[in-house]
Each structure stands twice: as structure tokens, then as C-alpha cells.
Amino acid sequence: RKSIKKCLKRPAGQEETNKSLILKMSASVKNKQEFFKILERRILLSDGAMGTTLQELGYTACPDFLNLNKDDLKAISGIHLKYLHAGSEIIQTNSFGSNPINLQSCGLAANLEQANINAVNAAKEAISNYRSQTGSSRELFIAGNLGPLGKLLEPYGDLKFEDAVDAFSKQASILIDSGADLILIETMIDLKEALAAVEAARKVSDGITVACTLSFTENGVTVMGNKADAFGEELINAGCDIIGANCSVGSKAMIKIVEKIRNANPDARLIIQPNAGLPVISDGKTKFNETPEIMAENFKEILKFKPSIIGGCCGSTPEHIKKIAELIVIN
């Protein structure tokens, strides 16, 4: 989801934040029953894109690499802060690719713990700055973000299911210990990998909320053949609390996908985070073709299916989130 594919080696002289300095700035961790009570009262608004936002700022390294540099962490925290000012209540850690397998492919295997701790701390710092700037005491949450491992599971690849569970467990454990209020597994194209991630999160914590989204093409099927109307029950039975979809399509195409998910899972809690349309090349840069106004208009239809959490994915900005926030207030 919010990743930039190019990974770089760590440059010489790169600074790291001491892992022992875990900031105590986030909301207190909610167990899932407390979190569910909030979702019964209202829809929670998540944030928008991290990777494409970093690209706009000129960054070319994979976002997880940036977790290891003090100045880059300030930029990440600054993006979190903009989403909070736009109305986001859930901030997703910049840890989409910070799992052991993906970090190893980037030459950063030794930095697993540091990358994830720093990702949580950047979100905590943004929350602290937001409260200082606004005086707001509204409930805010940090979602520990888990993305795909970067390798295919058997039989399509050579990664064993138990090894996938082990890799996800290591990352989830660090995120939860560092202060994540919930775990968000996202941009999964293989239900089997999603199930491994859910099992991993549950091994680490019985009490934390676990959400998981798959990425569907416009016809409601993932690249690996999982259908929007046939994945939810397996995830829920595995211990997932909130299911849904993110990435791959814009908010207009997402409407039909959400309809399929809801019809197949009438009582499930849903999380929906589409892209801001489709990517287009403008002045040599990749842009997304849904304006904040267009995306908000499409979300009016998505809201009819009663999601619990909504937000944006690739191409979405604080301006998109601000427009979506207005819908929640109205509704």
C-alpha cells in the first residue's frame, strides 16, 4: 500500500534514534472490546497515503528505510501530523514493509527492531505535537501497519506458511510492545498470507484489535484469485476483528467491491481505504486522478454499506481526508 519499491542500502554516517527511548505520547492501548464500543458509536477515520506523499516530497527510498534516519523520521512524523489536523483518528505506522523478510531484501535485516520502534515513535510524536498545537483531547489511535512479506507462499512460491507466521509475529510483537493500539494488515493479494498475518498477530496478543484488508481488482478478485464475497469468513474465523479492502482501485470502483464484501458479511466490521483514483503521468510525475471532492462524493456511496473505519490509500492526501471527514460529521 503506501510503499515505494526501490530499496537502498543504509548510507554511511546515518543516525539512529535510540530504541530505548520509546516515547509515551500515544493514546493508552485499547483492548478490542473497548475499541469495539467506540466503533458501535461512530465511524473512525484513518489517514491517507504515506508512500506517495513521500514521493511528492522528493523521497525515492522505500519508506521503511527512512525509519532509520532522524531527519527522515521528522518528515514522516510531519505527514502524520498533517493527517491529524485533517481529521484522522487512526494513524498508521510507517512500517508497511518493515518485516524480517522484506528488510533482508533491502539489506536492513539487522534493523528490524529499530525500524518498527521508530515507526511507532514517529506516530506518537505526531500525536503529541497535535495535542500541543490544538489542545485537543479527542481519542486518537496508532495502527501498527503490516504489509506483504515480499515473497509468495507455497505452492506459488517457496515460503512456508509457518515461516510467514514467524516473520509477521516478530514484527507485530515489536509494534505492540512499542505502543500500537491495533494491528492493521493490509494490501494482501493472497488470502493465505493474510491468514498467516492474522495468526501471527493473535499469537502475540489475544486482546489487541486486528484488522485486515485485501487488495482487489475492479472485478472484485485479487491477483491471486481471492474473491471479495468469499474471503471474510475465513479471516474472521482466524481471529480477525475487522475485514475490508484497500489499494488497487479508486473510490468509484471500490463501491462495488464494498457491496460484495458487505453482502457476504452482513454483520462484520469493515475497513475501507481506496486509492484516490488511478495513477496518471503529469509533468513527468505520477498523480492520481480523483480530487478530494470526487473521492468524498464516492464515499457517500461507500458509507451506505456501514463501514467501521474509512480512509485513503495511494494518492490520497490530507486534503482528501479532510473532505471525507466532513461526511462523517454530516452523517
Side-chain angles (χ1 to χ4, degrees), residues 214-258:
L214 271 62
S215 289
F216 302 95
T217 57
E218 289 194 11
N219 64 355
V221 182
T222 71
V223 172
M224 300 300 287
N226 305 119
K227 297 180 179 180
D229 57 2
F231 79 103
E233 185 175 359
E234 284 195 64
L235 282 179
I236 293 169
N237 289 341
C240 189
D241 302 303
I242 307 169
I243 63 171
N246 82 300
C247 207
S248 292
V249 299
S251 59
K252 184 174 179 60
M254 186 64 83
I255 297 169
K256 289 293 184 182
I257 294 171
V258 179

Side-chain angles (χ1 to χ4, degrees), residues 288-305:
F288 286 75
N289 66 0
E290 285 185 0
T291 65
E293 291 76 17
I294 291 173
M295 196 172 189
E297 193 66 26
N298 291 329
F299 258 100
K300 290 180 181 179
E301 296 300 313
I302 291 173
L303 287 173
K304 292 179 181 179
F305 298 102

Side-chain angles (χ1 to χ4, degrees), residues 23 61 94 102 109 172 190 210 214 232 244 282 302 307 316 324:
L23 306 176
N94 182 51
N102 191 60
D190 181 3
V210 177
L214 271 62
S282 176
I302 291 173
S316 58
I324 296 169

Side-chain angles (χ1 to χ4, degrees), residues 3 11 31 76 133 173 225 250-251 276 296:
S3 65
N31 66 47
I76 291 166
Q133 293 171 12
S173 178
S251 59

